[in-house]
Amino acid sequence: KFKWSKQKSEQERLMTAEINKLLDDSPLEKNVTCGFWLLRGAFFQRFANQTAYVVLYGLVGCIFSMTYAYFNGTITTIEKRFKIPSKNTGIISVGNDISQTLVSAVLAYYAGKGHRPRWIGFGLLTIVMFCLMTTSPHFLYGPGEDALSLTAEFGAIPVENASLEAIEEQRAKILCRLHGGGAECEEGEGNFAPQVLLFVAQFISGIGGSLYYTLGVSYMDDNTKKSKTPALLSLSYFLRMLGPAIGYALASFCLRLYIAPQLHPVINNKDPRWLGAWWLGWLVMGGLLAFSGVFLSMFPKELPRAAARRQVEEKRRRERLALQQKESNEKDKLSVELEAQTPAEPQASFKDMLRTFKRLTTNKTYMCNTLSNIFYLIGYTPFWIFTPKYIEVQYRQSAATSSMVTGTVALAFSAIGVLLSGFIISRYKPRARYMAAWNVIIAVLVVAGVVTYAFIGCPDNEQSVIVNIHDKALHEVATCNSACACDYVRYSPVCGENKMTYISACHAGCKGEHVNAAGKRIFYDCSCIPAGHNESYALDSFKRLTARDLADSAVPSTPYLEVSLLSLSFNLLLMLFALQLLSSGQAMPGACPVNCWTQFVAFLSVMCFLKFVGAAGRASNFLVSVRCVPEQDKTAAMGFGMMLCSMFAFIPGPIFFGWIFDRMCLVWGKTCTNKGNCWLYDPKSMRYTLNFTAAVFISLGALFDFGVWYYVKDLKIFDEEIKEVEMQIVQHEEEANPEKTTEI
């Protein structure tokens, strides 16, 4: 064993010296020349190495992944601006997956046989088009009348200067109105043309994304030593993982600016009518992608050092064949497998593409690995797309906190998992079967973690909401709010003095609103809320209105208080009337406070563990997937796998789990023509249904991971494993001819 190790080290030293000599003596050929047109020469040639490629490829991936995070961060603003229904938003968001399903396999096959960096540059050009097309609706249709009407330049008046009629009109939209005049329905549909533009933009981005991911990683693997691939792959993954955090930060910055930055709005960004500059970030990301894409496309068809290494290995292979042909010893099975002549790569054609895809579909290891990825992707869909919403619903955390957790805390653990696994694999070079076993273990741990999610609930949150929607078609008996006309009142939760949350002041039966000198709002005369005269029963932080508070109010807040104060004799009458109004319950804006911090920390701990474990399996999964297919099929295999994942995971996954979310909805909004968005979900049903369904899909993926472990067997992952086979051949020859010294 020591002799083998010594010979292996000597072999490495001699090969490195021979590669360096070949690089110094050989002239630059076209396929290893960096740059194009005027952008070529010695200055650019020095960057034709694996380190420069991995760093630039990772940075481009960082910007590319920013686009998806930025789109998710600004989609609600786009919906409000163009009045896009949520169901249409879902169709728009899967546009890139549809294009990947249609073209990724074919593009990967044909482009993989050409100049891959140039094809990647073309793909990045389509992503630049995606950025420009996404921002184009703003320049074609402008900020919109709703946004312009809230600016000083177009005659808007600040809230503090609004007339009493305007204040009363606003209150009519949230309070119970027994005699009509309540909230009216809103239109649910907007302009269809911007939606078409956004869908086409997403469709185009799928073409660029498939070229970037399939060609970029295969180019990296083909131009680096197999032992260095895990570390370099982990580095590129890490750089790409920074993208979502930066994308959400850019979205937050842009949305703080008004949609028309040159105008002066009379509202602030906390107002629900605020529309941020959603279009601005697309110009920034498009410019960065265009700039970096030029340099990425300048890389040669093959890196010089990788080309020299292949020439040296081919030369040694021919010398070894010639030497063994002179020997009379019969070659063993291992030698025959190693020394078989490599067939020439066929030209790209439709028939050869079909043969390639047939080879892939009959490759048991490859198909088991692909099916495992599909089920894993489906199972993890809700945690990629709906995690912020899940945290808001389950643990009553703010949207800012939810986004911060998913974009930063979870990212840190994913980054540690990726980098650590890449280092360990590069350092210890485990065999394929050990990597496949590790993937099985990861799948089992993920299933256990997802099942754990189902039992981390917040009882206070689940039992603190009262859903009292009166449907006249189903219930003829009058209820506390049946005459309040609350059908079109927006979801605006209020906290009753009985420590329960109601959908809105109207649904709580509140007919009056009082604003004190400090600007604090309190709803009163709420027929659905029992008066909290019992101090132990009432909300601790709630301070009830008194008759004096209403009598001292300068501006009456309900039509019931249309009482002249010209004479002091009316004060007594006013006090008596106020006492009558205050006999019912009261409420304050916002949901009742609940303490879910302990459960939230427990959920966060499990999520960070799963992020770490899941990221730790990325490198091993990729290495198995690209080593289990012939070298010439590698790029096509990645494209074919992307097509299958898009077709069976990325497109149906969000739709399926979106349907599950809709099934868990307790309160729907209404528009004039249709059902609107969901206001309130059932947290307990969501917690069980979502997590157990996800666990089932991930468990199916674990079964196929076990299939990969069964079929992978003697698959070689690293160059060192091939060289170990070579050393076995050398030892076999030395044992057969002990007097002969073999030169390598």
Side-chain angles (χ1 to χ4, degrees):
K1 186 175 181 180
F2 174 76
K3 186 177 181 181
W4 283 7
S5 178
K6 185 176 180 181
Q7 288 178 337
K8 186 187 300 183
S9 300
E10 181 66 16
Q11 183 186 31
E12 285 285 338
R13 188 186 66 79
L14 292 175
M15 177 171 283
T16 301
E18 192 169 351
I19 291 174
N20 292 335
K21 185 175 183 300
L22 185 61
L23 287 173
D24 294 336
D25 297 342
S26 301
L28 279 178
E29 298 179 359
K30 184 178 180 180
N31 67 317
V32 294
T33 302
C34 185
F36 51 81
W37 196 38
L38 298 177
L39 303 176
R40 66 169 71 229
F43 174 78
F44 294 104
Q45 191 64 33
R46 72 180 64 180
F47 295 103
N49 57 72
Q50 62 184 20
T51 304
Y53 174 80
V54 170
V55 172
L56 185 57
Y57 178 76
L59 290 176
V60 171
C62 175
I63 303 172
F64 186 26
S65 57
M66 281 174 59
T67 62
Y68 291 109
Y70 187 85
F71 182 80
N72 291 335
T74 59
I75 189 61
T76 54
T77 301
I78 297 175
E79 287 178 351
K80 288 193 292 184
R81 164 60 189 91
F82 298 105
K83 295 181 173 60
I84 303 176
S86 298
K87 62 180 184 297
N88 292 14
T89 303
I91 297 174
I92 291 171
S93 63
V94 299
N96 62 325
D97 297 312
I98 294 174
S99 61
Q100 287 180 357
T101 301
L102 297 176
V103 303
S104 60
V106 177
L107 273 180
Y109 170 78
Y110 283 101
K113 295 180 180 296
H115 196 298
R116 284 178 286 184
R118 301 280 171 82
W119 275 101
I120 296 173
F122 170 76
L124 294 178
L125 180 62
T126 65
I127 300 172
V128 173
M129 291 177 58
F130 153 66
C131 294
L132 297 179
M133 289 187 65
T134 302
T135 195
S136 63
H138 173 76
F139 296 99
L140 293 175
Y141 300 97
E145 294 182 2
D146 293 342
L148 294 176
S149 64
L150 295 172
T151 60
E153 288 80 355
F154 285 79
I157 303 174
V159 176
E160 56 268 20
N161 298 332
S163 63
L164 296 181
E165 291 79 5
I167 295 176
E168 179 58 29
E169 181 182 356
Q170 183 65 28
R171 286 173 174 166
K173 297 180 180 180
I174 60 175
L175 294 177
C176 174
R177 288 294 185 245
L178 300 178
H179 305 291
E184 297 179 355
C185 68
E186 298 180 357
E187 294 294 331
E189 301 290 337
N191 195 338
F192 190 68
Q195 303 177 42
V196 175
L197 275 174
L198 294 173
F199 176 81
V200 173
Q202 287 283 340
F203 187 89
I204 291 176
S205 76
I207 299 174
S210 62
L211 288 172
Y212 170 81
Y213 289 119
T214 58
L215 301 182
V217 177
S218 64
Y219 182 83
M220 181 195 308
D221 187 56
D222 289 343
N223 287 275
T224 59
K225 291 181 63 177
K226 299 297 184 286
S227 58
K228 292 184 178 180
T229 297
L232 296 176
L233 185 69
S234 297
L235 177 60
S236 69
Y237 275 150
F238 170 73
L239 293 174
R240 280 159 48 186
M241 291 168 72
L242 297 177
I246 302 175
Y248 279 116
L250 180 62
S252 176
F253 171 78
C254 292
L255 293 180
R256 292 176 188 273
L257 303 175
Y258 199 57
I259 189 171
Q262 74 277 12
L263 302 181
H264 299 83
V266 298
I267 59 174
N268 57 32
N269 57 14
K270 295 182 180 179
D271 193 293
R273 296 170 294 173
W274 176 274
L275 292 177
W278 62 271
W279 52 272
L280 185 60
W282 293 110
L283 299 178
V284 176
M285 293 181 293
L288 292 174
L289 282 171
F291 180 76
S292 57
V294 171
F295 291 100
L296 190 60
S297 62
M298 290 171 60
F299 278 90
K301 185 176 182 180
E302 188 175 20
L303 293 180
R305 192 166 193 85
R309 183 186 301 111
R310 284 187 177 83
Q311 293 180 26
V312 171
E313 290 176 347
E314 179 63 20
K315 176 184 175 183
R316 291 192 173 194
R317 190 189 66 80
R318 288 196 299 265
E319 291 176 351
R320 193 162 53 248
L321 276 175
L323 177 64
Q324 292 178 7
Q325 286 174 357
K326 296 178 181 179
E327 301 293 333
S328 58
N329 295 331
E330 183 180 348
K331 297 180 182 180
D332 58 15
K333 179 181 178 181
L334 196 58
S335 174
V336 171
E337 178 183 350
L338 179 71
E339 304 301 340
Q341 180 67 35
T342 303
E345 185 175 346
Q347 293 295 322
S349 65
F350 184 74
K351 289 185 178 180
D352 181 66
M353 182 181 69
L354 295 181
R355 286 194 295 267
T356 300
F357 292 160
K358 183 178 179 180
R359 283 197 300 271
L360 294 176
T361 54
T362 55
N363 186 322
K364 296 180 180 179
T365 304
Y366 173 79
M367 290 306 298
C368 282
N369 193 67
T370 302
L371 290 172
S372 169
N373 290 337
I374 289 173
F375 283 110
Y376 185 84
L377 290 171
I378 295 176
Y380 229 69
T381 294
F383 308 110
W384 283 328
I385 300 178
F386 302 114
T387 296
K389 178 183 286 188
Y390 184 87
I391 293 175
E392 291 178 48
V393 172
Q394 293 293 332
Y395 309 109
R396 198 75 71 80
Q397 300 298 313
S398 67
T401 301
S402 303
S403 298
M404 183 271 294
V405 166
T406 56
T408 57
V409 178
L411 169 68
F413 282 85
S414 296
I416 294 172
V418 165
L419 295 176
L420 184 61
S421 64
F423 170 78
I424 292 176
I425 293 175
S426 295
R427 176 69 178 82
Y428 296 102
K429 302 179 181 62
R431 297 187 181 276
R433 201 138 204 206
Y434 295 152
M435 291 188 185
W438 171 238
N439 289 338
V440 175
I441 294 173
I442 287 177
V444 173
L445 292 175
V446 170
V447 171
V450 171
V451 171
T452 304
Y453 280 158
F455 298 98
I456 305 177
C458 183
D460 291 344
N461 179 40
E462 296 167 358
Q463 301 169 6
S464 65
V465 180
I466 292 180
V467 180
N468 55 346
I469 300 176
H470 180 75
D471 191 338
K472 297 179 181 179
L474 300 178
H475 305 286
E476 297 181 357
V477 180
T479 61
C480 60
N481 62 3
S482 57
C484 288
C486 301
D487 289 347
Y488 298 108
V489 175
R490 290 185 177 184
Y491 177 66
S492 181
V494 296
C495 179
E497 55 184 312
N498 58 345
K499 301 182 181 180
M500 301 301 290
T501 298
Y502 294 81
I503 299 172
S504 70
C506 182
H507 289 86
C510 301
K511 305 172 186 65
E513 179 190 17
H514 174 76
V515 182
N516 60 20
K520 185 177 180 181
R521 300 162 59 200
I522 295 181
F523 301 102
Y524 61 92
D525 195 13
C526 304
S527 55
C528 296
I529 303 176
H533 300 295
N534 186 348
E535 294 298 330
S536 62
Y537 176 71
L539 188 67
D540 297 335
S541 60
F542 192 87
K543 184 179 180 181
R544 284 182 57 85
L545 282 176
T546 64
R548 174 60 61 185
D549 293 329
L550 292 183
D552 292 343
S553 178
V555 180
S557 60
T558 92
Y560 298 107
L561 294 181
E562 295 174 355
V563 181
S564 174
L565 300 181
L566 296 176
S567 172
L568 294 176
S569 61
F570 284 98
N571 280 343
L572 180 60
L573 178 61
L574 182 61
M575 291 285 289
L576 293 175
F577 190 60
L579 287 172
Q580 180 182 356
L581 294 177
L582 296 177
S583 61
S584 299
Q586 300 179 16
M588 59 183 181
C592 293
V594 293
N595 185 11
C596 298
W597 181 252
T598 302
Q599 293 86 345
F600 175 61
V601 171
F603 170 83
L604 184 60
S605 301
V606 177
M607 183 177 71
C608 291
F609 171 75
L610 292 185
K611 289 286 186 180
F612 173 80
V613 170
R618 285 193 180 185
S620 57
N621 180 273
F622 169 79
L623 290 173
V624 171
S625 65
V626 297
R627 297 288 185 267
C628 69
V629 297
E631 191 76 16
Q632 70 271 17
D633 294 345
K634 184 188 306 180
T635 305
M638 296 182 64
F640 189 68
M642 178 176 287
M643 181 192 74
L644 294 178
C645 289
S646 296
M647 185 184 301
F648 297 110
F650 291 134
I651 293 177
I655 297 174
F656 174 71
F657 281 100
W659 174 78
I660 289 181
F661 263 89
D662 288 346
R663 297 284 293 179
M664 300 299 107
C665 184
L666 294 175
V667 181
W668 286 96
K670 291 182 179 180
T671 64
C672 295
T673 57
N674 203 350
K675 181 170 62 176
N677 63 302
C678 182
W679 286 344
L680 186 67
Y681 294 94
D682 182 353
K684 187 174 183 180
S685 298
M686 176 189 292
R687 182 160 46 86
Y688 287 122
T689 305
L690 202 68
N691 290 302
F692 283 131
T693 303
V696 170
F697 281 108
I698 299 174
S699 298
L700 293 174
L703 293 178
F704 284 103
D705 272 332
F706 182 80
V708 174
W709 174 85
Y710 178 80
Y711 288 115
V712 77
K713 295 184 180 178
D714 298 324
L715 182 67
K716 303 298 184 293
I717 299 292
F718 302 102
D719 292 327
E720 285 74 6
E721 295 181 77
I722 304 296
K723 290 171 183 175
E724 184 176 335
V725 175
E726 294 177 359
M727 298 309 299
Q728 293 177 7
I729 295 173
V730 171
Q731 185 194 36
H732 176 77
E733 292 176 349
E734 287 181 345
E735 290 175 352
N737 304 279
E739 73 284 353
K740 183 179 178 299
T741 302
T742 304
E743 296 182 1
I744 299 180

